[in-house]
Amino acid sequence: MAYTVAIVGATGAVGTQMIEQLERSTLPIAKLRLLSSSRSAGKTLQFKGKDIVVEETTESSFEGVDIALFSAGGSTSAKYAPYAVKAGAVVVDNTSHFRQNPNVPLVVPEVNAHALDDHKGIIACPNCSTIQMMVALEPVRQRWGLERIIVSTYQAVSGAGARAIEETKRELREAVVDGVNPKDLKADILPAGGDKKHYPIAFNALAQIDVFTDNDYTYEEMKMTNETKKIMEDDAIKVSATCVRIPVLSAHSESVYIETKVIAPIDQVKEAIASFPGAIVEDNPSQQIYPQAVNAVGKRETFVGRIRKDLDAPKGIHMWVVSDNLLKGAAWNSVQIAETLHERNLVHPTKDLKFPLE
């Protein structure tokens, strides 16, 4: 069977990557439909050498669609995903809108593909920073259990969208070429477009991704906490995150500290991660080999290195985790979910999901 697949948000940074990932995918595709806002409708994009005209997303856009990949913002998913499901499509949503809904599985295929089995028409793709951490930690959790996770992220500006990339390039140009003091650079987007103040990212590190919640953590940090517990199906795991934006264009990096339930020999930890699907160990301190953002760009895998025991905590382990946030952190994970739905024979209409979701 070959499917009709739609991409909502096809002209965005993630949407264009979804097209590329579908070209490389094992998913049998009979027809690809590209959907966007009215601003981008009428543009032409290519899929496997053929021109496809981008259509405006409407309530009737999903007739005949089997799989709909959404990456156009939470409000778009909230509005149009119900129409896609009612038309008989399975929705894979790359926004945060459905992630914590108990009726919606939150899936990293290498980690919890079984969660797809009971889907009711919508599957959520986790946050980019959560996805790569799950790939690195799941093989450890399976063998030795996890008590605590403390993660500090070093996230690329592409996670904030195309305008953030352009703002970063402009600031770096003005600082380097024009000699503007970095603290005097004009910022309009980062650290969070919807917040009151904006700060330059050039030659800077911003300890804020998304806006702050009432508990003084940002929404990005709470996403990592809550999503980890849901994906690993364990509310007892202690998770704390500090999320930082740095002037790197693509690929997120993370310093991850974990405490296992039982002592884990470090050589076995490296072996477990290296043999886990989607993970690649790059770890040779004597040769200065460890994951780097510039090397991860354009690759689907998650790279793990600097794996070492904590010097004071017998069950403590440190590691460094890097992945392309637009690929494994978004587009590839979404397409991978679609592939897994096909492999498990789960691409079928649902009658069980009622809107608004309870």
Side-chain angles (χ1 to χ4, degrees), residues 51-329:
D51 289 340
I52 300 178
V53 177
V54 179
E55 307 168 53
E56 181 180 358
T57 309
T58 67
E59 297 170 0
S60 59
S61 292
F62 304 96
E63 295 301 323
V65 171
D66 300 299
I67 301 172
L69 308 179
F70 276 69
S71 191
S75 60
T76 299
S77 295
K79 181 176 181 179
Y80 291 110
Y83 292 103
V85 173
K86 289 174 182 175
V90 179
V91 169
V92 180
D93 184 41
N94 190 53
T95 76
S96 62
H97 184 75
F98 295 106
R99 287 177 187 159
Q100 289 305 314
N101 190 291
N103 293 308
V104 176
L106 184 66
V107 176
V108 180
E110 298 92 337
V111 176
N112 66 332
H114 64 273
L116 295 171
D117 294 344
D118 296 321
H119 84 79
K120 295 178 173 61
I122 298 177
I123 296 96
C125 190
N127 191 41
C128 49
S129 51
T130 305
I131 290 173
Q132 66 189 68
M133 188 172 74
M134 294 297 93
V135 173
L137 296 188
E138 178 62 10
V140 181
R141 187 198 68 82
Q142 288 180 359
R143 291 188 59 178
W144 298 281
L146 286 176
E147 293 277 1
R148 173 179 287 277
I149 303 168
I150 300 175
V151 54
S152 297
T153 71
Y154 304 72
Q155 293 180 226
V157 295
S158 56
R163 291 179 60 222
I165 294 175
E166 293 309 310
E167 178 170 273
T168 302
K169 289 179 177 178
R170 173 185 57 77
E171 289 177 3
L172 289 169
R173 211 165 35 241
E174 291 176 358
V176 174
V177 178
D178 301 334
V180 179
N181 190 315
K183 69 179 182 180
D184 296 326
L185 292 166
K186 185 179 184 299
D188 299 311
I189 299 167
L190 296 173
D195 216 339
K196 300 175 289 297
K197 296 179 180 178
H198 300 102
Y199 303 117
I201 188 68
F203 300 101
N204 203 5
L206 300 174
Q208 178 192 353
I209 298 178
D210 212 325
V211 297
F212 286 94
T213 68
D214 292 339
N215 65 4
D216 291 341
Y217 285 79
T218 65
Y219 276 99
E220 184 83 359
E221 292 159 354
M222 293 311 302
K223 287 175 191 174
M224 294 195 74
T225 297
N226 295 329
E227 291 174 16
T228 295
K229 294 172 185 283
K230 182 173 180 178
I231 294 165
M232 291 188 164
E233 300 175 1
D234 187 354
D235 288 336
I237 297 178
K238 302 177 182 70
V239 185
S240 183
T242 301
C243 294
V244 181
R245 190 79 71 190
I246 61 171
V248 167
L249 296 185
S250 290
H252 290 347
S253 304
E254 300 173 348
S255 174
V256 184
Y257 169 77
I258 60 173
E259 292 178 0
T260 53
K261 291 185 177 181
V262 297
I263 293 176
I266 206 67
D267 58 335
Q268 294 182 28
V269 170
K270 292 181 181 181
E271 291 172 3
I273 297 173
S275 62
F276 193 72
I280 293 179
V281 170
E282 294 182 337
D283 195 334
N284 189 341
S286 68
Q287 299 300 313
Q288 292 179 267
I289 294 174
Y290 42 80
Q292 299 179 44
V294 292
N295 296 331
V297 174
K299 297 177 181 176
R300 291 172 163 180
E301 296 82 8
T302 295
F303 300 88
V304 189
R306 299 299 316 279
I307 305 167
R308 61 205 189 277
K309 296 289 288 185
D310 188 89
L311 297 178
D312 298 307
K315 298 177 184 177
I317 298 172
H318 298 268
M319 64 182 72
W320 180 248
V321 182
V322 179
S323 192
D324 188 322
N325 57 296
L326 296 181
L327 291 186
K328 183 53 185 170

